[in-house]
């Protein structure tokens, strides 16, 4: 069983990574401008657009180098400067970017996905699914729902945008967790009598599968896409590492405390708490995360800088006022 697990990474290493080019930004940072232009031309299909993107990347890389290494090019100095720019003296845009990344990673796991993945048989047994084959089938259904739904963002994320996908995902997660909690409270193991056994079990399995599907629509894959898009080039490696660390720590916390949690507040109460976290994630996305669809990586820092956004808005208003008769706003 463990040996079979070595097949997918072997396939990725041989069939994918060896044929995958370096990113244009990495190539520019290491002085390979011609190769970066070839990669951009291949991915954009437009030589003029590739040249324009290359100029933006070169300009961004030069600015990043100036900010990251104010007193030289020593690698240790660069690393120290990056951590200082992230944790000690971040700019307004970097603070917002870091808040967005940490918030998304926190809420992804705080919604309880690890609890449902790790303890699905126990949850279904509590809901009244007592047959071992039925529990196995319900657990497999969760995996199938997750795999099928995770394909959808591949086709819709660039068409609909990141925010709609995340908001839809958070809303669906909230509703499905509430339904799951309600069905668990109505299960025969929670109350005497078995008249609601079939209804509670079927509803619990359906709600759990719906949670997995809606999770995979946005908060599963899209937060990784969003986080990689918004980090400034000079901070990308460290920022991604911090976000991933928060994600893994929260996953471990949820996984290790779930049994104690449901013993303290009940199985239904646990999923009501997860539903509250999912609802909070909807508010977080709606209030704090801008749409990044169609924006280049070089535009993200200005997008997360309130003062820069205000300047753009004021400029647009002035231009609009000048275009009107009399120049009034």
């Amino acid at each position: 069983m463990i040996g079979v697990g070595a097949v997918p990474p072997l396939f990725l290493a041989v069939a994918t990574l060896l044929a995958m080019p370096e990113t244009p930004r990495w190539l520019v940072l290491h002085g390979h401008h011609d190769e970066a232009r070839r990669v951009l031309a291949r991915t954009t299909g437009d030589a003029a657009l590739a040249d324009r993107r290359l100029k933006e990347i070169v300009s961004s890389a030069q600015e990043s180098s100036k900010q990251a290494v104010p007193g030289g090019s020593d690698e240790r100095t660069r690393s120290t400067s990056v951590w200082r720019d992230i944790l000690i003296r971040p700019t307004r845009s970097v603070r917002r970017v870091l808040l967005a990344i940490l918030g998304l990673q926190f809420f992804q796991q705080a919604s309880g996905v690890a609890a449902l993945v790790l303890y699905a048989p126990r949850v279904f047994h509590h809901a009244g699914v007592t047959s071992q084959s039925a529990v196995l089938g319900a657990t497999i259904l969760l995996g199938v729902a997750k795999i099928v739904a995770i394909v959808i963002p591949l086709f819709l994320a660039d068409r609909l945008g990141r925010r709609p996908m995340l908001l839809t995902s958070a809303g669906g997660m909230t509703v499905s967790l509430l339904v799951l909690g309600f069905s668990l409270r109505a299960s025969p193991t929670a109350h005497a009598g078995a008249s609601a056994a079939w209804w509670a079990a079927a509803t619990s399995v359906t709600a759990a599968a719906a949670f997995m599907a809606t999770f995979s629509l946005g908060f599963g894959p899209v937060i990784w896409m969003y986080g990689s898009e918004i980090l400034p080039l000079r901070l990308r490696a460290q920022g991604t590492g911090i976000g991933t660390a928060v994600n893994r720590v929260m996953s471990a916390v949820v996984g290790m405390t779930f049994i104690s949690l449901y013993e303290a507040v009940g199985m239904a109460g646990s999923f009501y708490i997860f539903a509250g976290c999912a609802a909070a994630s909807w508010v977080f996305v709606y209030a704090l995360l801008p749409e990044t669809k169609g924006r280049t990586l070089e535009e993200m820092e200005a997008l997360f800088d309130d003062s820069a956004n205000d300047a753009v808005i004021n400029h647009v208003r002035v231009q609009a006022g000048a275009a009107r008769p009399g120049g009034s706003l």
Side-chain angles (χ1 to χ4, degrees):
M1 180 175 66
I2 296 174
V4 171
V7 175
L10 180 64
F11 173 79
L12 287 174
V14 174
T16 304
L17 296 180
L18 293 180
M20 183 183 299
E22 294 289 352
T23 66
R25 288 160 185 83
W26 185 92
L27 292 169
V28 167
L29 285 173
H30 291 78
H32 306 299
H33 290 202
D34 291 337
E35 189 174 351
R37 182 181 289 104
R38 286 194 294 270
V39 173
L40 286 167
R42 190 171 74 180
T43 55
T44 62
D46 186 333
L49 178 60
D51 288 336
R52 188 164 67 250
R53 291 271 177 87
L54 180 62
K55 291 179 181 178
E56 294 174 354
I57 293 171
V58 170
S59 176
S60 176
Q62 291 172 346
E63 183 64 25
S64 297
S65 298
K66 292 177 183 178
Q67 296 180 15
V69 194
S73 58
D74 180 74
E75 192 67 29
R76 182 178 299 177
T77 303
R78 178 183 294 113
S79 177
T80 302
S81 176
V82 168
W83 286 113
R84 183 177 63 247
D85 290 346
I86 292 179
L87 301 177
I88 301 175
R89 291 187 301 182
T91 63
R92 179 183 305 188
S93 62
V94 170
R95 281 198 302 268
R96 287 194 62 193
V97 166
L98 196 60
L99 175 63
I101 291 172
L102 297 183
L104 287 174
Q105 298 289 1
F106 171 84
F107 282 119
Q108 186 200 61
Q109 296 300 324
S111 63
V113 62
L116 198 53
V117 168
L118 296 174
Y119 299 102
R122 189 172 298 208
V123 173
F124 293 142
H125 180 78
H126 188 91
V129 183
T130 56
S131 167
Q132 291 296 323
S133 59
V135 169
L136 178 61
T139 305
I140 292 174
L141 177 63
L142 297 188
V144 172
K146 186 176 183 180
I147 292 172
V148 171
I150 208 169
V151 176
I152 298 176
L154 298 177
F155 301 97
L156 296 183
D158 286 330
R159 184 181 305 175
L160 298 180
R162 282 62 163 148
R163 269 173 58 90
M165 299 293 290
L166 289 171
L167 290 172
T168 301
S169 176
M173 289 159 55
T174 303
V175 173
S176 57
L177 286 170
L178 288 173
V179 173
L180 178 58
F182 178 77
S183 62
L184 288 168
R185 186 169 294 279
S187 66
T189 54
H191 297 286
S195 60
W198 182 88
W199 174 87
T203 304
S204 296
V205 173
T206 303
F211 169 78
M212 282 298 179
T214 52
F215 173 86
S216 298
L217 285 177
F219 266 80
V222 175
I223 70 163
W224 299 101
M225 181 193 310
Y226 194 94
S228 66
E229 290 177 337
I230 64 178
L231 276 165
L233 184 62
R234 69 186 185 278
L235 310 178
R236 182 152 300 139
Q238 288 82 353
T240 301
I242 293 173
T244 304
V246 170
N247 183 285
R248 293 297 83 203
V249 168
M250 280 302 302
S251 177
V253 168
V254 171
M256 291 189 295
T257 61
F258 178 67
I259 293 178
S260 300
L261 179 64
Y262 83 70
E263 287 179 349
V265 301
M267 187 71 78
S270 299
F271 285 98
Y272 287 148
I273 293 174
F274 293 146
C277 292
S281 72
W282 191 98
V283 176
F284 176 81
V285 172
Y286 183 82
L288 297 176
L289 302 192
E291 179 57 67
T292 60
K293 182 183 73 171
R295 301 210 179 239
T296 65
L297 298 181
E298 285 67 42
E299 296 172 336
M300 292 301 173
E301 196 160 357
L303 179 64
F304 279 83
D305 190 336
D306 291 334
S307 59
N309 290 336
D310 292 342
V312 172
I313 292 171
N314 292 333
H315 176 73
V316 171
R317 287 176 176 174
V318 169
Q319 293 298 323
R324 295 177 185 172
S328 62
L329 297 179

